[in-house]
Every structure is written in structure tokens, then in C-alpha cells.
Amino acid sequence: MSVFQQPIRHFIKLSDYTYKLIKKCCNGDRVIDLLFHFPISIIKRSGDINNFKPQEKLTVVLKIINHVVPNRKGSPYKIIGQTDNGDLVTIIYFNYRIPYLKKIFLINERYTISGKAECNYDGIKIFHPDVVASPSMLKYYIGVEPIYPLVGNLTNKTILYVINSILKIIPKDFDYLSPEIKEKYQLPNFFDSLVNVHHPKGERDLMDNFIFRKRIALDELLANQIRLRQLRENIFEHILPKFEKRGVLLNKLNLPFELTEDQKKCIKEIEQDLCSGHAMNRLIQGDVGSGKTVVAFISMLIIIENGFQTAFLAPTEILAWQHFETIKKLSKSLNIDIDIMVSSNRKARKKQIQDLQNGITQILIGTHAILEENIEFMNLGLVVIDEQHRFGVMQRISLIKKCKYPNILAMSATPIPRTMVLGCYGDLDVSVIKNKPASRIPVETAVMNISKIDELVTRLKKMNTQIFWVCPVIEESEDLIDVNTRCDYLCKVFSEDNVKVLHGKMKAIEKDFIMHEFNHGKFKVLVCTTVIEVGVDIPNANVIVIEHAERFGLAQLHQLRGRVGRGNQKAYCILVYHNHISEIGKQRLQLMKSTNDGFILSEEDLKLRGAGDILGKEQSGFHSLRFSDFSNNYNLLTIAEEISQLIDIHSNSTKDLLNIFNRISEEYVV
Ligand code: ADP
Ligand code: MG
């Protein structure tokens, strides 16, 4: 095991308490976890008493000569100190406990003191110093101090100490990129990059475009690219049987609607893949509500007819249950075995695993629970991945490893350019569903200011429809409206029984219950976070209100809007903005109003917000990445792709690289 993978306790002595805090703070206790815990800001400390700048803290060694106890309540406490040159400095406290101050500042003792300072007619003052240390510590408190994200009682000093100790033990010449590649792309060394990231010299060294931070971001993208290549190798090393038997199930299938032309075309392309003798690696891109699920279902039937099992992976539990219900309904007359595996039905797991291993279960629908190691299939022949962008490449690999024959059908509602497809998913074939079912009436979108909320709810109350009401946050915050506050308000208008809350921090079982009740029309208003963003299909909900709409990306707003207008009633999307909205913000909301076409929206968003910004981390499958996303690393992605072609992906240095970036992201929680 390399130094990077080892726990820090192998190198540094810390109390259990501190160790736990650090582990929590850095998302792990491996050396690499600490090295990848980057500073977020800096404090500049100056040692020059005659010439410090207002934004800097002043650090001096002072001999304490007097305590001035205030004679009135509310007046500051003053401690007078003197430098070795004889300059007087006053230390000032507004909040204080006298015994405490008397104890830490002993008369005639010398201390290193640092804090925000001021120099005016009545001399130099230091307010509430954040450093009171022995005189020998002076040199450590002059210069630039990096400030790290912290948790609990952990201090910056501790984390600074640990990280600097670790920087001393890691090998200086370690690098998985060859000198030639670094030369070609003008990249700094791995070690130098870490050292410089942790020793910023100014604000600019905290930015993503700081060359040393860029190197780490590039490495991460590179690791991702290499995994995508490995994924592809995994898929294509197999020669597959041709899945040609056709008829038994497909002929019996009785759909409640006629397939659209695009759906038919898509199914045809999938059939061709499956009959080719090579693995399928196909992405269906279709706008929200274009009917991708039924296409996936028919593909699964082809596999089942040929005697194989299929798995259907969904990003959230709500969605998994919904697919389960839909597919059960669609396959009513077909007599196939369908099972659902999510973390909340863990109790059933033993029997479920048996049924999978014996080949009884033909369709397994589920969330990340399917990816666990002990879940094995008898003969898995097709994997469907819904809302593909929600899954990282590691997750896809773990699913494909379970396949006897790795056919992959990925689905995504986010239309993205080809380069981005390559970057996110690797090289795959794409089918597009452009047109929605003809029966659909387009959703009407309105944009309004929060000041009109009373009018809005009065009108909504008169309408006979269910309503999604989306808020940006779960907990009360200073400038954003949260689900509970909004729920209280709506309860007054609609009555308590008619308003319920749903968000990602609730237990899965609670969420399901509420979704189930909402789906069956038991209550009227669902106040929620973007937990409902992906795929949720409730035909009786015809209104969605989105608060702080200015805070959401266009792709996300479009996804949310796609939650309504799924039945045959006219539907409305109301984008509510709060007061601080920029010009571009307004333009973006107007754009939402002017079109229902997800492809146009993403193109326009691109123009308005600049390259790459169109996809947030979550939207791009890049949420498993820490240091890079499209908004600032579009060029890096191209370089990462190039480098991944130049290096041997099975070499030891590549293994080192992959080990360093080996975290699989947690289940996505809004
Ligand atoms: P998405 O592409 O967003 O995943 P879904 O597969 O959830 O969309 O489909 C949205 C709704 O459209 C579902 O209620 C589904 O039953 C319905 N639907 C799908 N295909 C058709 C069709 N050809 N005609 C009418 N309704 C359809
Ligand atoms: Mg869907």
C-alpha cells in the first residue's frame, strides 16, 4: 500500500478525539484525504509594526506592562504591552472575563500576539487577538496562513500542523505522469502541486485556475477518463450471443398507447445492437416526458425472451418504486418475475439474492443497493441505467462486472454536446427521442415576483389540481425560503391535511409513503426540495411552483417542469423569483417561459452562461468529482482525454493514479 492510502495514524500521533474530528472533516483518514483537503481562504499576517495594511493581521512580541480594568460596564478591557523596541501596543477586548485575561496575560511576561490591528492618533491597537503564544512562535505567525474548512471543535492550527507534517513524509519524486507528458502539457509535478496548494501566497492561489490546483483537477479528470476506457474494454472483450428470439412476450404486450415514431426508431436501433453479436453501449437522450421508460422496458423484454435477466438502475428510491409500479402494470399479461431492491427493503435481501442467483427474478429494479458486492445474477444480459448522469463511472463499472453479457442502455434527459458525452460517459452510441407523445398539451410557464404569492395561492386554491411546490432548501436559512416555513404558510390556506413536506433528508420509508399518498390524490400540495427533480411521474399534478427559480440552472428548471403536464390536462409551471435577481437571471427565466424544448434551452443556456456552465456537477455525472467540473475545466477535459490516449492504462503508474482518486461518491441526496 502506498503512503497515500495509509491512515495518518501511521505517521502522526493524535488523540482519539482529534483523530475522529479530522477524519470527519477530511472525509477520511488516509494521507491522501488530508492532502486533498484544500484551504478555502487565507489570513495575511504582517510583522511590520510601522507598515501593516488594514486587511492584514499584525503579529508582534509584546511584554505585558499593565492591565486597565474598565470602570464602566460596556467599556473595553485594555492590556498594555511593549515591543522590544519600546513601542506601546494596546490589546483590546470588548467581550471578556477578567480572571481569564489576567491569567493568560501575566505582567512582565513576553508573548507573540497576532490579530486585527489599527493604528491612529492614540497609538496601535490589536483587537481580540487570535494568537497568544510564546515569543519563539513569532516566525510561524508572520506571512500567509491558509484557512481550511473545519468541523466541530477542530482548529485551523491542528489541521495546519497535520497537513504540514504529512507534506514532509510523502515522497517528493512521486508522480504518475511521465516527464515527457508534463513537458508537453506544461504541467507541474504532483508533489509541487500539493505543496503549493497548501501554501498559498495570496488570494489568487486559492482559485481553480491556479496552475497547481489545475494539475490536481486534471489528474482527477484523467482518472475518470481512464476508468471510462477500462469500462469500454470490459464491455468489448466479450463476444455475445445474438439476442434474436422474438415473439412470445412482445406479441402479448398490450400497451395503453401507440408508440411515437421516435420511440419506434429507438427500439429498432436497440434491436440491431442486440442482434449484432457485440455488446450494446447505447445512450437514449430524450427530453423529459418523451417516454424513455417504455423503450427501456421493451428492450428488457427482448433480453428476457432470450432467457436472460435484466437490471434497471434508478438514482433515487422514489424513482425505483415508480418504475417498479409502471413496469408491473405494463407487464401484467406477460407473467414475468419482477423484483425491487432498495436500501429500505433490506430485510427481504436473502430471498432476493437467492432468486437472482437461481435466475427466477427476470427484471430487477433498484437503486445503488443493486451495486453491492454480494448481489449476483445467474445470467444478467442487460443493464438499464436511468438518469445516467447521476451515476459516476465507478458505479457503472460495478454494475457491468455483474453481467454475463454486458449490454448497457443508458438514459438521460439532459441533452449535451458530443464532446461532453465523451467526457462524461466515454465512447457510446446515441439514440435521440425528439418528439413527445402527441396527446401532450405543452406546459404553460409564468414568471412572477414573490410579492404576488397571496394572489397566486388564492388562484391555485380554486383550481382542481395537485401541486408541486419546490423550495431551494430544507432548513431555515437567512435568504432562502425553506420547505417547512413554506408548508406552514400553505397549511393556513389549504388546510393542514392538504399540505405535506418531502425532502431528501427524510427516511426512505417516509418519502415513499408520502409519494404514494400524493400519487393517490390523498392531499393537494407537496412542498418539496428538488428531490422530485428526476423522473417522478404523477399525472394528476398539473401545477409546479418553483421558488427562488433564479437559483436553479435551466436544465434543472426544465427537469422540474417536466414533472407536470404528464396527463391530458393543461399544466402550469410558475417560476417565482425573489428580490435580488440579476439581468441574466431574468433573461433565463424568460427563456424558460418562451420554450418547452430542452435542447433549445441547453443551447441558449450555453450562450448566456458561457461554455460548460450549462451542466452543474450533478447534471453532468461529474458529481463524483471533487476538483473539476465543466464550468471551469472544459479545456482540461480535452487535455485529460488526450493524455488518456497517450498512456498505458494498465501500467503501475496508472494504478497509482486510480488509487489516489478511488472514492465512489455517496448516493445523491438533495
Ligand atoms: P421520461 O422520458 O421523462 O422518462 P416517461 O418514460 O416517464 O418519460 O414517460 C412519461 C409519460 O408518458 C408516462 O406516463 C408514460 O406512460 C407516457 N407515455 C410514454 N410513451 C407514450 C406514448 N407513446 N403515448 C402516450 N403516452 C406515453
Ligand atoms: Mg424517466
Side-chain angles (χ1 to χ4, degrees):
M1 197 164 49
S2 81
V3 174
F4 299 98
Q5 258 65 48
Q6 295 188 40
I8 52 171
R9 77 165 75 81
H10 288 182
F11 309 99
I12 298 175
K13 261 209 160 93
L14 292 165
S15 72
D16 282 353
Y17 179 73
T18 310
Y19 201 88
K20 265 194 205 136
L21 277 176
I22 287 187
K23 189 169 176 181
K24 186 166 170 213
C25 183
C26 303
N27 272 320
D29 63 344
R30 302 172 309 163
V31 166
I32 194 68
D33 296 324
L34 270 98
L35 292 173
F36 281 171
H37 192 66
F38 286 2
I40 43 168
S41 64
I42 50 171
I43 293 180
K44 283 189 184 168
R45 296 187 197 271
S46 165
D48 186 351
I49 197 163
N50 299 314
N51 230 340
F52 61 90
K53 300 194 185 76
Q55 69 273 24
E56 293 172 345
K57 296 199 173 184
L58 175 64
T59 306
V60 280
V61 171
L62 292 179
K63 184 167 120 182
I64 304 302
I65 51 179
N66 193 14
H67 280 245
V68 185
V69 183
N71 46 18
R72 265 195 312 127
K73 223 179 161 200
S75 302
Y77 189 94
K78 293 179 183 168
I79 300 154
I80 316 292
Q82 191 171 36
T83 66
D84 296 343
N85 290 337
D87 293 322
L88 289 180
V89 176
T90 312
I91 304 167
I92 295 197
Y93 283 90
F94 293 101
N95 301 310
Y96 49 84
R97 275 180 32 238
I98 294 174
Y100 175 74
L101 290 180
K102 287 234 152 115
K103 203 170 106 197
I104 59 167
F105 294 103
L106 298 176
I107 302 280
N108 283 330
E109 287 293 319
R110 291 166 77 245
Y111 302 92
T112 295
I113 287 170
S114 181
K116 205 169 154 7
E118 200 179 271
C119 176
N120 56 19
Y121 63 93
D122 59 348
I124 298 169
K125 292 178 238 164
I126 296 184
F127 300 91
H128 286 257
D130 58 341
V131 174
V132 178
S134 70
S136 62
M137 296 294 280
L138 179 71
K139 61 176 183 289
Y140 296 107
Y141 290 105
I142 289 178
V144 178
E145 183 182 333
I147 304 297
Y148 290 91
L150 299 168
V151 297
N153 290 332
L154 191 64
T155 62
N156 199 56
K157 209 165 133 192
T158 309
I159 211 136
L160 203 61
Y161 162 74
V162 176
I163 287 175
N164 280 316
S165 316
I166 285 171
L167 282 171
K168 284 188 198 125
I169 54 136
I170 59 170
K172 296 191 176 33
D173 51 358
F174 173 89
D175 208 326
Y176 30 74
L177 293 182
S178 68
E180 294 76 38
I181 285 182
K182 281 185 281 188
E183 167 87 36
K184 179 164 181 202
Y185 294 97
Q186 301 274 306
L187 301 169
N189 291 326
F190 182 67
F191 178 78
D192 293 342
S193 303
L194 290 172
V195 168
N196 282 286
V197 166
H198 287 289
H199 295 147
K201 292 179 189 65
E203 299 281 348
R204 277 166 60 187
D205 298 359
L206 299 167
M207 316 273 266
D208 285 341
N209 62 5
F210 183 42
I211 175 105
F212 300 104
R213 284 195 179 222
K214 251 165 105 172
R215 160 78 210 255
I216 306 294
L218 174 73
D219 291 359
E220 185 179 42
L221 288 169
L222 181 60
N224 202 56
Q225 285 304 311
I226 290 167
R227 288 211 183 89
L228 286 168
R229 272 185 63 194
Q230 289 181 342
L231 183 70
R232 199 173 155 77
E233 281 187 7
N234 260 320
I235 296 172
F236 283 98
E237 73 191 12
H238 292 83
I239 299 291
L240 268 61
K242 297 188 176 175
F243 298 88
E244 299 187 303
K245 272 186 244 156
R246 203 67 43 86
V248 196
L249 291 174
L250 285 179
N251 291 344
K252 272 200 234 160
L253 180 65
N254 196 357
L255 291 175
F257 43 71
E258 173 84 14
L259 292 172
T260 64
E261 286 311 309
D262 283 348
Q263 284 172 321
K264 285 184 196 158
K265 187 180 80 199
C266 224
I267 291 168
K268 217 182 202 121
E269 286 166 345
I270 292 166
E271 278 177 346
Q272 279 167 2
D273 288 349
L274 294 176
C275 293
S276 70
H278 295 287
M280 170 166 78
N281 189 21
R282 184 170 288 279
L283 172 71
I284 307 181
Q285 279 196 338
D287 206 351
V288 282
S290 59
K292 296 184 288 292
T293 319
V294 66
V295 172
F297 173 63
I298 292 174
S299 319
M300 293 196 279
L301 291 185
I302 299 174
I303 296 291
I304 294 170
E305 287 192 324
N306 283 276
F308 289 88
Q309 295 167 293
T310 65
F312 193 151
L313 183 65
T316 65
E317 211 159 291
I318 292 175
L319 212 52
W321 280 107
Q322 185 183 296
H323 286 324
F324 181 64
E325 300 291 337
T326 308
I327 286 177
K328 252 191 353 202
K329 243 187 251 158
L330 288 173
S331 58
K332 216 171 191 173
S333 54
L334 303 181
N335 194 24
I336 45 183
D337 265 288
I338 309 170
D339 199 357
I340 174 161
M341 187 176 283
V342 289
S343 45
S344 64
N345 69 357
R346 201 166 281 283
K347 284 206 186 100
R349 205 61 94 239
K350 207 164 157 199
K351 166 100 173 41
Q352 288 187 311
I353 292 177
Q354 270 174 7
D355 287 352
L356 283 175
Q357 284 171 347
N358 298 332
I360 292 172
T361 305
Q362 291 165 295
I363 298 181
L364 179 70
I365 297 164
T367 54
H368 301 65
I370 300 184
L371 304 177
E372 281 170 28
E373 235 161 69
N374 60 339
I375 310 298
E376 287 167 20
F377 294 76
M378 184 172 93
N379 58 2
L380 184 57
L382 170 69
V383 165
V384 178
I385 305 177
D386 193 17
E387 308 293 347
Q388 143 112 331
H389 52 277
R390 291 298 172 102
F391 297 95
V393 58
M394 295 290 279
Q395 292 166 322
R396 278 179 268 155
I397 290 179
S398 56
L399 192 53
I400 284 157
K401 282 200 176 134
K402 299 181 193 292
C403 290
K404 185 156 186 197
Y405 297 118
N407 288 299
I408 304 168
L409 184 62
M411 306 198 283
S412 173
T414 317
I416 57 174
R418 179 75 190 156
T419 345
M420 288 198 194
V421 170
L422 280 173
C424 300
Y425 312 139
D427 197 7
L428 39 59
D429 302 311
V430 180
S431 300
V432 179
I433 307 186
K434 268 230 158 88
N435 300 314
K436 294 186 187 168
S439 57
R440 237 16 98 58
I441 314 169
V443 179
E444 189 175 321
T445 303
V447 179
M448 58 167 261
N449 187 280
I450 184 66
S451 61
K452 301 219 176 101
I453 187 169
D454 292 331
E455 277 166 58
L456 173 67
V457 290
T458 318
R459 280 181 36 207
L460 290 178
K461 202 177 166 197
K462 287 188 197 138
M463 289 171 69
N464 184 24
T465 174
Q466 287 176 286
I467 301 161
F468 289 112
W469 194 295
V470 182
C471 299
V473 287
I474 301 174
E475 265 135 43
E476 262 190 80
S477 92
E478 210 166 280
D479 52 349
L480 296 175
I481 185 87
D482 63 280
V483 282
N484 292 318
T485 309
R486 188 51 81 219
C487 177
D488 291 346
Y489 168 82
L490 292 170
C491 279
K492 284 187 202 128
V493 184
F494 288 91
S495 89
E496 253 170 57
D497 302 341
N498 263 326
V499 188
K500 298 251 151 73
V501 165
L502 183 81
H503 58 71
K505 284 203 179 147
M506 285 160 65
K507 289 212 181 88
I509 207 162
E510 263 179 286
K511 284 193 277 194
D512 294 335
F513 178 72
I514 288 181
M515 273 326 267
H516 186 264
E517 297 256 285
F518 194 56
N519 205 356
H520 288 79
K522 296 275 168 62
F523 64 95
K524 216 169 158 182
V525 189
L526 184 71
V527 186
C528 51
T529 54
T530 51
V531 66
I532 57 137
E533 179 191 335
V534 279
V536 171
D537 190 25
I538 298 197
N540 289 329
N542 290 311
V543 175
I544 183 164
V545 179
I546 306 168
E547 284 203 62
H548 285 288
E550 73 278 6
R551 296 277 177 140
F552 296 99
L554 284 189
Q556 205 177 8
L557 287 175
H558 185 60
Q559 268 280 351
L560 287 167
R561 178 166 63 184
R563 297 312 108 218
V564 297
R566 300 190 148 233
N568 39 22
Q569 303 261 316
K570 180 149 181 67
Y572 301 88
C573 168
I574 296 145
L575 304 173
V576 179
Y577 62 91
H578 288 233
N579 286 330
H580 312 286
I581 185 171
S582 65
E583 250 334 285
I584 286 199
K586 270 192 201 145
Q587 277 180 38
R588 291 173 60 237
L589 297 188
Q590 286 305 325
L591 197 63
M592 285 297 298
K593 193 176 144 130
S594 67
T595 180
N596 269 305
D597 185 324
F599 286 78
I600 295 181
L601 278 174
S602 66
E603 272 169 31
E604 290 298 320
D605 208 12
L606 195 69
K607 283 188 209 148
L608 277 175
R609 298 207 288 172
D613 214 8
I614 170 176
L615 296 164
K617 273 195 182 181
E618 287 83 26
Q619 296 298 326
S620 61
F622 272 44
H623 61 282
S624 53
L625 302 184
R626 263 176 89 172
F627 307 110
S628 27
D629 65 58
F630 275 130
S631 54
N632 49 16
N633 289 332
Y634 198 51
N635 293 336
L636 278 190
L637 183 62
T638 321
I639 299 177
E641 261 184 274
E642 274 183 45
I643 297 181
S644 78
Q645 303 294 332
L646 295 175
I647 60 179
D648 172 5
I649 64 169
H650 300 289
S651 70
N652 281 338
S653 24
T654 305
K655 274 184 206 141
D656 286 338
L657 167 66
L658 294 182
N659 276 333
I660 282 186
F661 293 92
N662 74 347
R663 281 279 143 108
I664 305 180
S665 74
E666 307 283 303
E667 180 162 358
Y668 182 70
V669 178
V670 179

